Amino acid sequence: MTFDIDMIRKVYNRYPERVAAAREAVGKPLTLAEKILYTHLWEGNATEAFGRGASYVDFAPDRVAMQDATAQMALLQFMQAGKSKVAVPSTAHADHLIQARIGADKDLQDGINKNNEVFNFLSSVCNKYGIGFWKPGAGIIHQVVLENYAFPGGMMIGTDSHTVNAGGLGMVAIGVGGADAVDVMAGMAWELKFPKLIGVKLTGRLNGWTSAKDVILKVAGILTVKGGTGAIVEYFGEGAESLSATGKGTICNMGAEIGATTSTFGYDDSMRRYLAATGRQDVVDAADAVAEHLTGDAEVYANPEQYFDQVIEINLDELTPHLNGPFTPDLATPVAEMKEKAAANDWPTDIEWALIGSCTNSSYEDLTRAASIVADAVEKGIAPKAILGINPGSEQVRYTAERDGLMDTFNKLEGTRIFTNACGPCIGQWAREGAEKHEKNSIVHSFNRNFAKRADGNPNTHAFVTSPEMVAAIAISGKLDFNPITDTLTNTNGEEVKLAEPTGHELPSAGFAVEDNGYQAPAADGSGINVAVAPDSQRLQLLAPFAPWDGQNINGAKLLIKALGKCTTDHISMAGPWLRYRGHLDNISNNCLIGAVNAYTEATNAVTNQLDGSVDEVPNVARAYKAAGVPSIVVGDHNYGEGSSREHAAMEPRHLGVRAVIVKSFARIHETNLKKQGMLGLTFDNEADYDLIQADDTFNFTDLAAFAPGKQLTLEVVHADGSTDSIKLNHTYNAQQIDWFKAGSALNLIKTQNNA
Ligand code: MIC
Ligand code: SF4
């Protein structure tokens, strides 16, 4: 059964007319990304061409997805919007809150016990408002979406940065904060700056040890963590068509790590095969009727330089396996260079843990390729040196893999642990023994993020991102710098043996199977359902509206922290153990910026309270300023807020009295989240002004009354000796976003509009 097939048919029915209108408006051949964007305009048929990277445009996405750790805040906000039902098909997925410790069954039960209150809340809110709920154990949001909901040419948003995974089935799928999801679920337009377009031409064909993961590891090395900001990456060429749909999903998924708005691929046979295998032949039939519109125009792919803002070409014949890391996903090292680079950088090369899974690499194909390595090692009598941990992507993948003997194969390798179908170690939900000792060590995994402390909370764990087949090979060898293409291993008979190249199955030959997929359909009429939140709950807290702007300049603000270098959402609002407070704004605010590095001392979670000179934890100092009625600001470096979509990274400082975040540059989702929550997200006109900010400065905004689109703001910086500097700040607020600031938040504005 295909979910929401009527909606999908409707989208396809309007495609020809809408694409024709777009063609006329734009006046030249269209990329796939443009076709999808222009067919999803809120206003209907296109009447003008939008400026890439310039125009703010209202869109009408087809669906919304949320995961448990962000859905709580999204739905707490939705509950305030005054609607009885969601306006577009929406789903929530319980996947982030389950810890990997012993193994799937025990961990899942433990996760349910520990998070009972939150799961019950999500289940009843979903039931009430017409939202599909995927219960704990059903799988990771993005695999479940790919298996059930994604469709070529569709547009969706999701409260998770890796929503982009659905680009593997030719969607424009974009990660957003919960407040954006509320707009769409409440039946309003969703606004996005019209993206720039990056074309990636893939030639040749993957072979040997190289996998789809290596395409994105290579792209990340080329574009870096900021290179895709504000852009949609469109893959094309014979190489693109040769990849499986889940392989395409892997590439799109990790596009979040280059800051891309999303990534996508044209509709092709790999998608037909995947849709059919996952029970959606009806989608194939509907898509085939408009197939010419579900890919870029031939002229575009023949002369990409004329149509994309940037073009990259990668020859899959020549691509080799990569390992990216440590601490950042764009530090790309081809496997052949790892020995030298690890030695030069003093990266630990002994590996204790090697992990397969996460939303990006947990498909059936991934498991078969990794299993082929394991089977080969077992057959050749090689004992593994590290523990292999596996999180399957969904119950459907797990069930099918078990039926087909893949789990048996993995279990033949000594020490292997099969964890729950959930995010697990990828989001720090990993009770890794001994991590608290903070020993310097390396791990490899097939996830997409490797920021400091992310997987096990240990700042000295060097995490390297690589393909599942490389993870398996490294688990067996126990060495980060093991090159399976050239190196041998000693088996239990003392013989030198080589691992065979991986082989796999794109799709299960006997088809996918599942007994209980873990889906809960919402009530047809939810009006009688009561959603209870206990007033003394430590996990959930109903939201109180943020105060509107008082119309005055912000004066006498103090610096909460000037963050040095990389400051991702993991630094601003850490995950792992803190995921338990994702539905309780006041409690989770106790992790506000505790991972950010203080630019004056290089310490984390220690800043000076300018009111009494004491040094304290960041949240405590923020609370002290708030209690004293003193506004505060945060200063940061480049790509501030990189990583997750979690709006907690914006709501927490807002809740703690921070009024403005001033940085050299922002990551897209975080900048929008700040705006939505009524904060000032500003950038230095002159980057060097970052250096001018002193810990004991006082800040006055002098022209906030004149806050207007395209007009700079002025900040007076008063130094301790009484001298002042006046600096210019840039912003990207449009008129509506300035209204959010004035109203105190976008939600406050929705509420007044709904009550009007
Ligand atoms: C992540 O991979 O960092 C997460 C956890 O999935 C986040 C969402 C979150 O913080 O809940 C994301 O990528 O958006
Ligand atoms: Fe979950 Fe990791 Fe994927 Fe985020 S990146 S959705 S934490 S598996």
Side-chain angles (χ1 to χ4, degrees):
M1 186 204 84
T2 302
F3 291 96
D4 311 307
I5 184 71
D6 292 343
M7 175 272 281
I8 296 173
R9 290 198 179 114
K10 258 192 221 148
V11 172
Y12 288 151
N13 283 344
R14 64 177 199 231
Y15 244 91
E17 188 189 322
R18 294 234 175 148
V19 170
R23 227 182 262 297
E24 202 178 311
V26 176
K28 54 181 179 181
L30 298 172
T31 61
L32 168 63
E34 286 168 306
K35 290 183 190 177
I36 302 178
L37 293 170
Y38 278 103
T39 52
H40 286 84
L41 297 180
W42 178 256
E43 58 174 309
N45 284 348
T47 52
E48 58 175 313
F50 297 108
R52 294 181 196 168
S55 318
Y56 279 103
V57 179
D58 280 345
F59 291 100
D62 303 315
R63 59 179 317 119
V64 174
M66 295 161 280
Q67 41 88 346
D68 50 2
T70 50
Q72 298 169 61
M73 207 45 99
L75 293 171
L76 284 164
Q77 292 176 82
F78 181 74
M79 285 163 65
Q80 306 229 331
K83 299 281 171 184
S84 59
K85 207 172 165 56
V86 287
V88 302
S90 305
T91 52
H93 305 254
D95 56 359
H96 280 62
L97 298 178
I98 302 157
Q99 203 180 41
R101 197 164 64 93
I102 302 167
D105 294 348
K106 286 210 175 61
D107 294 351
L108 176 60
Q109 193 48 55
D110 206 37
I112 293 173
N113 296 346
K114 282 195 184 134
N115 300 294
N116 201 13
E117 183 185 0
V118 170
F119 292 149
N120 285 341
F121 167 76
L122 290 176
S123 160
S124 63
V125 181
C126 288
N127 209 6
K128 181 171 179 65
Y129 294 107
I131 301 168
F133 181 54
W134 289 80
K135 293 184 273 187
I140 307 173
I141 172 169
H142 312 302
Q143 281 292 328
V144 174
V145 166
L146 200 71
E147 283 171 9
N148 295 280
Y149 298 112
F151 63 100
M155 182 189 218
M156 69 178 284
I157 59 165
T159 61
D160 189 285
S161 62
H162 295 108
T163 303
V164 294
N165 189 66
L169 270 182
M171 282 195 114
V172 159
I174 302 180
V176 297
D180 284 46
V182 171
D183 289 349
V184 177
M185 292 191 295
M188 297 170 12
W190 172 68
E191 185 191 66
L192 176 75
K193 193 183 271 183
F194 203 87
K196 293 197 173 154
L197 304 172
I198 299 177
V200 180
K201 180 172 180 180
L202 300 179
T203 60
R205 219 185 157 85
L206 292 175
N207 57 79
W209 279 88
T210 311
S211 94
K213 183 75 156 194
D214 298 304
V215 174
I216 186 61
L217 294 176
K218 172 90 187 168
V219 170
I222 297 171
L223 284 175
T224 79
V225 289
K226 311 199 295 234
T229 306
I232 295 188
V233 184
E234 182 168 330
Y235 291 84
F236 61 95
E238 46 163 19
E241 285 178 31
S242 72
L243 299 166
S244 65
T246 49
K248 291 179 167 90
T250 295
I251 293 170
C252 293
N253 184 307
M254 216 183 140
E257 273 49 71
I258 54 166
T261 301
T262 192
S263 309
T264 194
F265 284 81
Y267 180 49
D268 66 14
D269 282 339
S270 72
M271 299 184 191
R272 289 188 182 90
R273 291 193 297 273
Y274 185 76
L275 284 165
T278 49
R280 290 174 288 170
Q281 183 59 40
D282 47 4
V283 177
V284 177
D285 297 340
D288 279 345
V290 291
E292 64 182 290
H293 302 309
L294 302 179
T295 189
D297 286 343
E299 296 92 320
V300 169
Y301 295 159
N303 297 297
E305 286 79 13
Q306 291 176 22
Y307 301 97
F308 291 101
D309 298 294
Q310 183 182 354
V311 178
I312 295 170
E313 188 166 331
I314 296 174
N315 183 347
L316 302 185
D317 289 334
E318 291 165 8
L319 188 65
T320 59
H322 280 62
L323 295 107
N324 286 22
F327 306 122
T328 184
D330 56 352
L331 186 53
T333 304
V335 62
E337 293 168 26
M338 190 43 111
K339 284 191 177 55
E340 206 183 314
K341 218 161 147 185
N345 291 288
D346 202 18
W347 294 333
T349 51
D350 284 341
I351 297 281
E352 261 176 49
W353 272 94
L355 301 151
I356 291 176
S358 94
C359 54
T360 177
N361 267 124
S362 49
S363 65
Y364 187 82
E365 183 178 38
D366 288 331
L367 294 188
T368 55
R369 286 177 64 86
S372 80
I373 305 300
V374 168
D376 187 53
V378 171
E379 200 181 301
K380 290 179 175 154
I382 314 169
K385 303 285 183 318
I387 306 173
L388 183 63
I390 300 172
N391 282 83
S394 71
E395 176 56 10
Q396 174 158 283
V397 163
R398 190 209 63 77
Y399 188 94
T400 312
E402 176 146 45
R403 179 200 66 191
D404 295 351
L406 298 177
M407 296 307 180
D408 284 345
T409 304
F410 286 126
N411 282 324
K412 279 188 197 136
L413 201 69
E414 205 188 303
T416 297
R417 305 256 185 103
I418 311 282
F419 296 124
T420 315
N421 314 318
C423 302
C426 179
I427 190 55
Q429 290 283 37
W430 184 23
R432 180 182 181 187
E433 233 168 89
E436 68 290 345
K437 287 189 232 146
H438 288 190
E439 281 164 4
K440 186 168 168 183
N441 77 102
S442 290
I443 61 172
V444 287
H445 60 58
S446 72
F447 310 160
N448 39 31
R449 294 207 169 128
N450 55 355
F451 305 139
K453 300 191 196 174
R454 179 161 170 112
D456 61 2
N458 173 0
N460 301 317
T461 293
H462 293 49
F464 294 83
V465 181
T466 191
S467 66
E469 40 275 61
M470 280 294 293
V471 171
I474 290 175
I476 291 157
S477 70
K479 285 285 178 196
L480 172 69
D481 53 358
F482 174 68
N483 181 353
I485 304 168
T486 51
D487 298 353
T488 55
L489 294 167
T490 315
N491 71 5
T492 40
N493 297 333
E495 297 153 353
E496 290 295 302
V497 289
K498 251 182 106 176
L499 289 175
E501 284 178 358
T503 56
H505 299 284
E506 180 185 290
L507 294 163
S509 48
F512 281 109
V514 68
E515 223 161 55
D516 174 5
N517 66 4
Y519 176 68
Q520 170 192 295
D525 174 7
S527 56
I529 295 166
N530 183 26
V531 178
V533 173
D536 60 346
S537 168
Q538 291 305 301
R539 302 285 303 266
L540 296 163
Q541 183 185 43
L542 292 175
L543 290 170
F546 291 129
W549 179 49
D550 60 6
Q552 305 297 311
N553 275 315
I554 298 167
N555 279 320
K558 294 292 179 194
L559 180 73
L560 177 58
I561 185 169
K562 174 162 135 180
L564 180 72
K566 206 174 184 65
C567 191
T568 71
T569 43
D570 281 6
H571 297 81
I572 306 170
S573 174
M574 205 163 273
W578 289 94
L579 288 173
R580 48 184 282 106
Y581 299 119
R582 282 289 184 86
H584 196 296
L585 182 56
D586 193 51
N587 281 348
I588 198 158
S589 293
N590 290 330
N591 82 356
C592 185
L593 285 155
I594 63 175
V597 177
N598 180 338
Y600 306 107
T601 60
E602 301 204 8
T604 49
N605 203 16
V607 289
T608 306
N609 175 342
Q610 298 302 333
L611 302 179
D612 62 10
S614 64
V615 173
D616 202 344
E617 298 180 1
V618 184
N620 292 345
V621 173
R623 287 188 195 274
Y625 290 151
K626 187 180 175 184
V630 174
S632 56
I633 69 163
V634 168
V635 169
D637 214 311
H638 273 299
N639 210 20
Y640 182 89
E642 162 189 353
S644 160
S645 67
R646 60 191 78 143
E647 62 200 325
H648 306 78
M651 294 179 90
E652 293 174 26
R654 176 80 169 104
H655 175 64
L656 296 181
V658 175
R659 304 291 297 277
V661 178
I662 305 169
V663 299
K664 293 183 187 170
S665 64
F666 281 111
R668 174 188 62 87
I669 306 179
H670 185 64
E671 183 178 19
T672 308
N673 286 346
L674 288 170
K675 291 177 179 178
K676 286 250 149 161
Q677 302 301 339
M679 291 270 265
L680 290 172
L682 309 168
T683 51
F684 292 105
D685 182 43
N686 174 10
E687 274 178 22
D689 287 345
Y690 171 92
D691 300 319
L692 199 127
I693 308 290
Q694 297 305 312
D696 50 3
D697 288 344
T698 303
F699 306 89
N700 303 315
F701 282 85
T702 58
D703 51 9
L704 213 44
F707 191 14
K711 187 175 174 305
Q712 289 183 323
L713 289 172
T714 313
L715 183 71
E716 183 189 51
V717 184
V718 185
H719 303 296
D721 63 3
S723 64
T724 61
D725 280 297
S726 176
I727 65 174
K728 290 289 176 200
L729 302 173
N730 298 332
H731 70 83
T732 60
Y733 288 71
N734 62 22
Q736 164 165 309
Q737 295 167 342
I738 291 174
D739 286 343
W740 300 342
F741 166 73
K742 290 183 177 162
S745 72
L747 187 60
N748 286 353
L749 201 64
I750 298 184
K751 277 196 287 189
T752 43
Q753 283 163 356
N754 278 344
N755 294 338

